[in-house]
Amino acid sequence: MKILRSCLYTELGSPLFATKHKISQMVNLEYVEPITGIYKFGSKRIPWSYKLVVQCLKLWMETCVQKMKNKAYCQIDVCINLDHGKGHSRISANFICRFKDYDGKWCKDSHSCALGNARCKKDNAQIIEQTFGGLLDEDLSTIKECEGICITTTARSVKNVMLSTDPYPTADNTIIPIEIFFAGDILLYAIILGKEGGARWWCTY
């Protein structure tokens, strides 16, 4: 099992197995199927995979809705993290739902998930754009265009989670707003601004 875990970690860029002592949360029995592809960068082939942020967020929110009793979520923060190391460009997301308890203190429910990776020795703007970058941009644009997350109720009183822009039969009166954050190093910041290689020390000013 140790060798299998190590091989999968090297190939996919994220661990797939955890012991019962390390499992912190179970997200239903459903899963988000990743989108995969291969990008040819010069003479090198770069395999990559990506899971849609919107689908991952909805799946986790549905889990929270089934568990929550008196929690009234007021804000959802989505933090996208991208970093490179050990031959992989990895992208992950942190979902944070904020609510107030009985004493009026702010509390949170949070979840971290791996979104995808590209197997390359060194990433740049072109590699990110041609692998998971375009899908990530569409995902974040979809989230920004909507007002937030709304909880819908079916005819059988089953609660589902949808974006406010999605068609839905019946919705609760509240729409939970979403804020998007991005975390990365100076190189990623320069790439986002379109100034990759603009200065020796990645100066953005």
Side-chain angles (χ1 to χ4, degrees):
M1 183 62 71
K2 268 180 145 184
I3 299 175
L4 178 59
R5 185 186 295 114
S6 176
C7 292
L8 287 172
Y9 185 86
T10 302
E11 289 295 322
L12 301 178
S14 59
L16 297 181
F17 301 103
T19 66
K20 61 181 180 180
H21 302 291
K22 294 182 180 179
I23 295 175
S24 59
Q25 186 177 20
M26 294 294 293
V27 182
N28 291 336
L29 295 177
E30 302 178 21
Y31 65 94
V32 177
E33 185 175 352
I35 302 170
T36 60
I38 296 177
Y39 170 60
K40 190 172 182 181
F41 183 68
S43 60
K44 298 180 181 179
R45 295 165 60 88
I46 300 176
W48 60 274
S49 64
Y50 177 75
K51 292 185 292 186
L52 297 176
V53 179
V54 174
Q55 293 184 8
C56 293
L57 176 59
K58 287 180 179 180
L59 180 60
W60 177 67
M61 282 295 298
E62 287 177 0
T63 303
C64 291
V65 168
Q66 301 300 330
K67 293 192 307 181
M68 74 178 187
K69 297 179 180 179
N70 298 319
K71 295 180 182 179
Y73 292 129
C74 304
Q75 173 75 36
I76 300 175
D77 295 336
V78 178
C79 182
I80 305 298
N81 316 294
L82 195 150
D83 193 17
H84 187 277
K86 296 184 178 180
H88 289 270
S89 180
R90 299 179 182 88
I91 182 170
S92 61
N94 294 335
F95 304 133
I96 304 172
C97 290
R98 305 186 185 277
F99 62 95
K100 288 186 178 181
D101 61 7
Y102 298 106
D103 299 328
K105 296 181 180 179
W106 283 101
C107 304
K108 66 179 181 179
D109 289 334
S110 61
H111 176 65
S112 300
C113 68
L115 295 179
N117 74 91
R119 191 172 64 184
C120 54
K121 291 184 177 180
K122 187 176 182 181
D123 55 6
N124 53 37
Q126 183 178 351
I127 292 176
I128 294 175
E129 181 181 358
Q130 297 298 325
T131 53
F132 53 74
L135 296 171
L136 175 63
D137 184 63
E138 293 178 5
D139 253 358
L140 299 183
S141 298
T142 301
I143 295 176
K144 290 296 292 183
E145 290 172 359
C146 73
E147 297 180 11
I149 287 285
C150 61
I151 301 174
T152 64
T153 306
T154 63
R156 297 182 178 180
S157 299
V158 177
K159 291 187 175 181
N160 296 322
V161 175
M162 305 184 75
L163 297 179
S164 60
T165 53
D166 294 340
Y168 49 87
T170 305
D172 296 348
N173 294 327
T174 58
I175 294 180
I176 310 171
I178 303 176
E179 288 288 339
I180 300 176
F181 300 89
F182 219 101
D185 54 14
I186 299 297
L187 172 59
L188 177 62
Y189 182 51
I191 290 176
I192 293 175
L193 296 180
K195 297 182 178 180
E196 181 186 11
R200 182 177 177 183
W201 300 277
W202 304 105
C203 177
T204 57
Y205 302 101

